[in-house]
mmCIF file of all heavy atoms in Angstrom:
data_model
loop_
_atom_site.group_PDB
_atom_site.id
_atom_site.type_symbol
_atom_site.label_atom_id
_atom_site.label_comp_id
_atom_site.label_asym_id
_atom_site.label_seq_id
_atom_site.Cartn_x
_atom_site.Cartn_y
_atom_site.Cartn_z
ATOM 1 N N PHE A 113 40.837 139.078 96.504
ATOM 2 C CA PHE A 113 41.461 137.984 95.753
ATOM 3 C C PHE A 113 40.842 136.652 96.075
ATOM 4 O O PHE A 113 40.736 135.771 95.233
ATOM 5 C CB PHE A 113 42.978 137.952 96.076
ATOM 6 C CG PHE A 113 43.755 139.062 95.463
ATOM 7 C CD1 PHE A 113 44.547 139.918 96.226
ATOM 8 C CD2 PHE A 113 43.708 139.261 94.076
ATOM 9 C CE1 PHE A 113 45.277 140.952 95.633
ATOM 10 C CE2 PHE A 113 44.415 140.308 93.494
ATOM 11 C CZ PHE A 113 45.209 141.139 94.247
ATOM 12 N N ASN A 114 40.359 136.496 97.315
ATOM 13 C CA ASN A 114 39.698 135.265 97.703
ATOM 14 C C ASN A 114 38.440 135.000 96.903
ATOM 15 O O ASN A 114 38.207 133.920 96.384
ATOM 16 C CB ASN A 114 39.393 135.335 99.197
ATOM 17 C CG ASN A 114 38.774 134.050 99.730
ATOM 18 O OD1 ASN A 114 39.453 133.006 99.798
ATOM 19 N ND2 ASN A 114 37.528 134.093 100.112
ATOM 20 N N ILE A 115 37.613 136.068 96.782
ATOM 21 C CA ILE A 115 36.320 135.879 96.107
ATOM 22 C C ILE A 115 36.505 135.798 94.590
ATOM 23 O O ILE A 115 35.751 135.119 93.888
ATOM 24 C CB ILE A 115 35.328 137.025 96.493
ATOM 25 C CG1 ILE A 115 33.921 136.530 96.325
ATOM 26 C CG2 ILE A 115 35.581 138.273 95.690
ATOM 27 C CD1 ILE A 115 32.916 137.344 97.084
ATOM 28 N N LEU A 116 37.561 136.465 94.042
ATOM 29 C CA LEU A 116 37.868 136.363 92.638
ATOM 30 C C LEU A 116 38.343 134.970 92.283
ATOM 31 O O LEU A 116 38.043 134.401 91.227
ATOM 32 C CB LEU A 116 38.887 137.398 92.225
ATOM 33 C CG LEU A 116 38.424 138.867 92.202
ATOM 34 C CD1 LEU A 116 39.547 139.790 91.841
ATOM 35 C CD2 LEU A 116 37.254 139.064 91.235
ATOM 36 N N CYS A 117 39.130 134.386 93.187
ATOM 37 C CA CYS A 117 39.613 133.007 93.019
ATOM 38 C C CYS A 117 38.429 132.047 93.033
ATOM 39 O O CYS A 117 38.317 131.161 92.151
ATOM 40 C CB CYS A 117 40.614 132.674 94.078
ATOM 41 S SG CYS A 117 41.180 130.931 94.038
ATOM 42 N N LEU A 118 37.553 132.190 94.014
ATOM 43 C CA LEU A 118 36.409 131.279 94.157
ATOM 44 C C LEU A 118 35.478 131.410 92.961
ATOM 45 O O LEU A 118 34.881 130.393 92.529
ATOM 46 C CB LEU A 118 35.673 131.596 95.444
ATOM 47 C CG LEU A 118 34.441 130.704 95.742
ATOM 48 C CD1 LEU A 118 34.841 129.253 95.830
ATOM 49 C CD2 LEU A 118 33.772 131.172 97.044
ATOM 50 N N ARG A 119 35.357 132.598 92.390
ATOM 51 C CA ARG A 119 34.494 132.768 91.243
ATOM 52 C C ARG A 119 34.985 132.018 90.010
ATOM 53 O O ARG A 119 34.245 131.488 89.217
ATOM 54 C CB ARG A 119 34.388 134.269 90.878
ATOM 55 C CG ARG A 119 33.469 134.578 89.704
ATOM 56 C CD ARG A 119 33.523 136.039 89.270
ATOM 57 N NE ARG A 119 34.833 136.417 88.757
ATOM 58 C CZ ARG A 119 35.083 137.592 88.169
ATOM 59 N NH1 ARG A 119 34.128 138.497 88.058
ATOM 60 N NH2 ARG A 119 36.282 137.905 87.740
ATOM 61 N N GLY A 120 36.342 131.933 89.856
ATOM 62 C CA GLY A 120 36.900 131.382 88.671
ATOM 63 C C GLY A 120 37.216 129.896 88.678
ATOM 64 O O GLY A 120 37.611 129.344 87.639
ATOM 65 N N VAL A 121 37.133 129.239 89.861
ATOM 66 C CA VAL A 121 37.502 127.834 89.936
ATOM 67 C C VAL A 121 36.438 127.029 90.620
ATOM 68 O O VAL A 121 35.526 127.566 91.275
ATOM 69 C CB VAL A 121 38.826 127.682 90.700
ATOM 70 C CG1 VAL A 121 39.961 128.451 90.053
ATOM 71 C CG2 VAL A 121 38.686 128.100 92.148
ATOM 72 N N GLU A 122 36.543 125.724 90.504
ATOM 73 C CA GLU A 122 35.705 124.849 91.279
ATOM 74 C C GLU A 122 36.137 124.911 92.751
ATOM 75 O O GLU A 122 37.280 125.241 93.071
ATOM 76 C CB GLU A 122 35.827 123.383 90.783
ATOM 77 C CG GLU A 122 35.253 123.164 89.399
ATOM 78 C CD GLU A 122 35.336 121.698 88.990
ATOM 79 O OE1 GLU A 122 35.794 120.892 89.812
ATOM 80 O OE2 GLU A 122 34.944 121.401 87.833
ATOM 81 N N ALA A 123 35.230 124.526 93.624
ATOM 82 C CA ALA A 123 35.559 124.638 95.051
ATOM 83 C C ALA A 123 36.756 123.771 95.419
ATOM 84 O O ALA A 123 37.544 124.126 96.284
ATOM 85 C CB ALA A 123 34.345 124.272 95.898
ATOM 86 N N SER A 124 36.900 122.617 94.748
ATOM 87 C CA SER A 124 38.022 121.752 95.073
ATOM 88 C C SER A 124 39.358 122.388 94.724
ATOM 89 O O SER A 124 40.350 122.286 95.484
ATOM 90 C CB SER A 124 37.893 120.411 94.292
ATOM 91 O OG SER A 124 37.773 120.648 92.931
ATOM 92 N N PHE A 125 39.444 123.091 93.578
ATOM 93 C CA PHE A 125 40.662 123.810 93.238
ATOM 94 C C PHE A 125 40.864 125.048 94.130
ATOM 95 O O PHE A 125 41.983 125.463 94.362
ATOM 96 C CB PHE A 125 40.620 124.230 91.757
ATOM 97 C CG PHE A 125 41.054 123.096 90.843
ATOM 98 C CD1 PHE A 125 40.136 122.468 90.045
ATOM 99 C CD2 PHE A 125 42.360 122.696 90.780
ATOM 100 C CE1 PHE A 125 40.520 121.464 89.198
ATOM 101 C CE2 PHE A 125 42.769 121.666 89.954
ATOM 102 C CZ PHE A 125 41.835 121.045 89.141
ATOM 103 N N PHE A 126 39.773 125.594 94.564
ATOM 104 C CA PHE A 126 39.857 126.726 95.501
ATOM 105 C C PHE A 126 40.585 126.319 96.785
ATOM 106 O O PHE A 126 41.380 127.058 97.325
ATOM 107 C CB PHE A 126 38.439 127.216 95.801
ATOM 108 C CG PHE A 126 38.376 128.277 96.904
ATOM 109 C CD1 PHE A 126 38.855 129.568 96.687
ATOM 110 C CD2 PHE A 126 37.817 127.980 98.142
ATOM 111 C CE1 PHE A 126 38.789 130.530 97.659
ATOM 112 C CE2 PHE A 126 37.735 128.969 99.115
ATOM 113 C CZ PHE A 126 38.239 130.234 98.875
ATOM 114 N N GLN A 127 40.290 125.089 97.234
ATOM 115 C CA GLN A 127 40.949 124.590 98.425
ATOM 116 C C GLN A 127 42.474 124.442 98.203
ATOM 117 O O GLN A 127 43.249 124.715 99.083
ATOM 118 C CB GLN A 127 40.382 123.228 98.846
ATOM 119 C CG GLN A 127 38.873 123.102 98.772
ATOM 120 C CD GLN A 127 38.108 124.251 99.418
ATOM 121 O OE1 GLN A 127 38.622 124.916 100.274
ATOM 122 N NE2 GLN A 127 36.865 124.448 98.975
ATOM 123 N N ILE A 128 42.833 124.014 96.999
ATOM 124 C CA ILE A 128 44.300 123.845 96.692
ATOM 125 C C ILE A 128 44.963 125.226 96.728
ATOM 126 O O ILE A 128 46.034 125.388 97.329
ATOM 127 C CB ILE A 128 44.453 123.201 95.347
ATOM 128 C CG1 ILE A 128 43.854 121.794 95.338
ATOM 129 C CG2 ILE A 128 45.959 123.159 94.941
ATOM 130 C CD1 ILE A 128 43.819 121.161 93.952
ATOM 131 N N ALA A 129 44.351 126.187 96.077
ATOM 132 C CA ALA A 129 44.949 127.547 96.026
ATOM 133 C C ALA A 129 45.087 128.101 97.449
ATOM 134 O O ALA A 129 46.102 128.694 97.792
ATOM 135 C CB ALA A 129 44.064 128.452 95.190
ATOM 136 N N ARG A 130 44.057 127.895 98.270
ATOM 137 C CA ARG A 130 44.119 128.360 99.626
ATOM 138 C C ARG A 130 44.988 127.503 100.538
ATOM 139 O O ARG A 130 45.235 127.823 101.689
ATOM 140 C CB ARG A 130 42.693 128.410 100.184
ATOM 141 C CG ARG A 130 41.818 129.554 99.626
ATOM 142 C CD ARG A 130 42.297 130.903 100.135
ATOM 143 N NE ARG A 130 42.324 130.956 101.573
ATOM 144 C CZ ARG A 130 41.283 131.227 102.311
ATOM 145 N NH1 ARG A 130 40.129 131.516 101.775
ATOM 146 N NH2 ARG A 130 41.386 131.211 103.643
ATOM 147 N N GLY A 131 45.439 126.372 99.954
ATOM 148 C CA GLY A 131 46.312 125.505 100.752
ATOM 149 C C GLY A 131 47.641 126.135 101.091
ATOM 150 O O GLY A 131 48.377 125.703 101.964
ATOM 151 N N LEU A 132 47.976 127.224 100.356
ATOM 152 C CA LEU A 132 49.242 127.946 100.620
ATOM 153 C C LEU A 132 49.130 128.846 101.874
ATOM 154 O O LEU A 132 50.132 129.383 102.291
ATOM 155 C CB LEU A 132 49.626 128.780 99.405
ATOM 156 C CG LEU A 132 50.041 128.022 98.156
ATOM 157 C CD1 LEU A 132 50.290 128.978 97.027
ATOM 158 C CD2 LEU A 132 51.320 127.216 98.447
ATOM 159 N N VAL A 133 47.929 128.978 102.382
ATOM 160 C CA VAL A 133 47.784 129.853 103.564
ATOM 161 C C VAL A 133 48.647 129.427 104.709
ATOM 162 O O VAL A 133 49.361 130.235 105.351
ATOM 163 C CB VAL A 133 46.285 129.901 104.008
ATOM 164 C CG1 VAL A 133 46.159 130.584 105.361
ATOM 165 C CG2 VAL A 133 45.456 130.649 102.966
ATOM 166 N N LEU A 134 48.633 128.148 105.022
ATOM 167 C CA LEU A 134 49.363 127.636 106.193
ATOM 168 C C LEU A 134 50.868 127.818 106.074
ATOM 169 O O LEU A 134 51.495 128.442 106.947
ATOM 170 C CB LEU A 134 49.018 126.162 106.486
ATOM 171 C CG LEU A 134 49.718 125.542 107.679
ATOM 172 C CD1 LEU A 134 49.345 126.317 108.942
ATOM 173 C CD2 LEU A 134 49.341 124.089 107.818
ATOM 174 N N PRO A 135 51.516 127.331 104.987
ATOM 175 C CA PRO A 135 52.971 127.554 104.877
ATOM 176 C C PRO A 135 53.334 129.018 104.818
ATOM 177 O O PRO A 135 54.347 129.416 105.369
ATOM 178 C CB PRO A 135 53.344 126.822 103.594
ATOM 179 C CG PRO A 135 52.089 126.560 102.860
ATOM 180 C CD PRO A 135 51.028 126.481 103.901
ATOM 181 N N LEU A 136 52.535 129.828 104.126
ATOM 182 C CA LEU A 136 52.845 131.278 104.068
ATOM 183 C C LEU A 136 52.671 131.938 105.408
ATOM 184 O O LEU A 136 53.448 132.862 105.759
ATOM 185 C CB LEU A 136 51.930 131.961 103.037
ATOM 186 C CG LEU A 136 52.260 131.675 101.592
ATOM 187 C CD1 LEU A 136 51.215 132.317 100.659
ATOM 188 C CD2 LEU A 136 53.648 132.225 101.225
ATOM 189 N N THR A 137 51.698 131.500 106.228
ATOM 190 C CA THR A 137 51.570 132.052 107.562
ATOM 191 C C THR A 137 52.748 131.711 108.428
ATOM 192 O O THR A 137 53.228 132.534 109.227
ATOM 193 C CB THR A 137 50.270 131.528 108.219
ATOM 194 O OG1 THR A 137 49.146 131.864 107.401
ATOM 195 C CG2 THR A 137 50.079 132.117 109.599
ATOM 196 N N ILE A 138 53.259 130.490 108.251
ATOM 197 C CA ILE A 138 54.450 130.097 109.024
ATOM 198 C C ILE A 138 55.651 130.951 108.638
ATOM 199 O O ILE A 138 56.382 131.419 109.501
ATOM 200 C CB ILE A 138 54.757 128.581 108.797
ATOM 201 C CG1 ILE A 138 53.662 127.720 109.384
ATOM 202 C CG2 ILE A 138 56.108 128.206 109.364
ATOM 203 C CD1 ILE A 138 53.764 126.235 109.032
ATOM 204 N N VAL A 139 55.785 131.207 107.354
ATOM 205 C CA VAL A 139 56.911 132.015 106.869
ATOM 206 C C VAL A 139 56.772 133.483 107.381
ATOM 207 O O VAL A 139 57.715 134.065 107.935
ATOM 208 C CB VAL A 139 56.974 132.031 105.318
ATOM 209 C CG1 VAL A 139 57.999 133.027 104.810
ATOM 210 C CG2 VAL A 139 57.309 130.614 104.803
ATOM 211 N N VAL A 140 55.564 134.056 107.181
ATOM 212 C CA VAL A 140 55.361 135.452 107.593
ATOM 213 C C VAL A 140 55.522 135.598 109.093
ATOM 214 O O VAL A 140 56.138 136.563 109.578
ATOM 215 C CB VAL A 140 53.970 135.936 107.135
ATOM 216 C CG1 VAL A 140 53.669 137.325 107.727
ATOM 217 C CG2 VAL A 140 53.864 135.979 105.637
ATOM 218 N N SER A 141 54.942 134.669 109.867
ATOM 219 C CA SER A 141 55.058 134.713 111.321
ATOM 220 C C SER A 141 56.515 134.561 111.767
ATOM 221 O O SER A 141 56.959 135.274 112.667
ATOM 222 C CB SER A 141 54.218 133.614 111.954
ATOM 223 O OG SER A 141 54.267 133.658 113.338
ATOM 224 N N SER A 142 57.264 133.697 111.101
ATOM 225 C CA SER A 142 58.675 133.529 111.456
ATOM 226 C C SER A 142 59.495 134.780 111.131
ATOM 227 O O SER A 142 60.351 135.168 111.932
ATOM 228 C CB SER A 142 59.270 132.329 110.683
ATOM 229 O OG SER A 142 58.579 131.143 111.000
ATOM 230 N N VAL A 143 59.196 135.425 110.019
ATOM 231 C CA VAL A 143 59.899 136.658 109.671
ATOM 232 C C VAL A 143 59.548 137.752 110.667
ATOM 233 O O VAL A 143 60.427 138.528 111.114
ATOM 234 C CB VAL A 143 59.546 137.092 108.223
ATOM 235 C CG1 VAL A 143 60.080 138.479 107.934
ATOM 236 C CG2 VAL A 143 60.085 136.114 107.236
ATOM 237 N N HIS A 144 58.271 137.818 111.033
ATOM 238 C CA HIS A 144 57.811 138.888 111.938
ATOM 239 C C HIS A 144 58.415 138.709 113.340
ATOM 240 O O HIS A 144 58.859 139.679 113.960
ATOM 241 C CB HIS A 144 56.273 138.882 111.996
ATOM 242 C CG HIS A 144 55.713 139.835 113.050
ATOM 243 N ND1 HIS A 144 55.767 141.196 112.907
ATOM 244 C CD2 HIS A 144 55.127 139.612 114.256
ATOM 245 C CE1 HIS A 144 55.217 141.770 113.922
ATOM 246 N NE2 HIS A 144 54.830 140.819 114.778
ATOM 247 N N THR A 145 58.424 137.485 113.813
ATOM 248 C CA THR A 145 58.963 137.226 115.200
ATOM 249 C C THR A 145 60.429 136.938 115.208
ATOM 250 O O THR A 145 61.018 136.800 116.268
ATOM 251 C CB THR A 145 58.199 136.030 115.812
ATOM 252 O OG1 THR A 145 58.381 134.857 114.982
ATOM 253 C CG2 THR A 145 56.729 136.322 115.901
ATOM 254 N N ARG A 146 61.009 136.806 114.015
ATOM 255 C CA ARG A 146 62.461 136.500 113.879
ATOM 256 C C ARG A 146 62.828 135.204 114.583
ATOM 257 O O ARG A 146 63.812 135.152 115.321
ATOM 258 C CB ARG A 146 63.299 137.663 114.395
ATOM 259 C CG ARG A 146 63.084 138.959 113.614
ATOM 260 C CD ARG A 146 63.957 140.060 114.141
ATOM 261 N NE ARG A 146 63.752 141.279 113.405
ATOM 262 C CZ ARG A 146 64.386 142.456 113.636
ATOM 263 N NH1 ARG A 146 65.278 142.501 114.593
ATOM 264 N NH2 ARG A 146 64.122 143.498 112.906
#
Side-chain angles (χ1 to χ4, degrees):
F113 286 125
N114 183 67
I115 206 160
L116 290 177
C117 175
L118 182 58
R119 181 187 65 171
V121 302
E122 291 183 4
S124 56
F125 277 109
F126 173 69
Q127 318 312 335
I128 298 171
R130 288 290 305 275
L132 291 176
V133 169
L134 181 60
L136 285 174
T137 302
I138 294 173
V139 172
V140 173
S141 182
S142 298
V143 171
H144 174 70
T145 59
R146 298 182 180 180

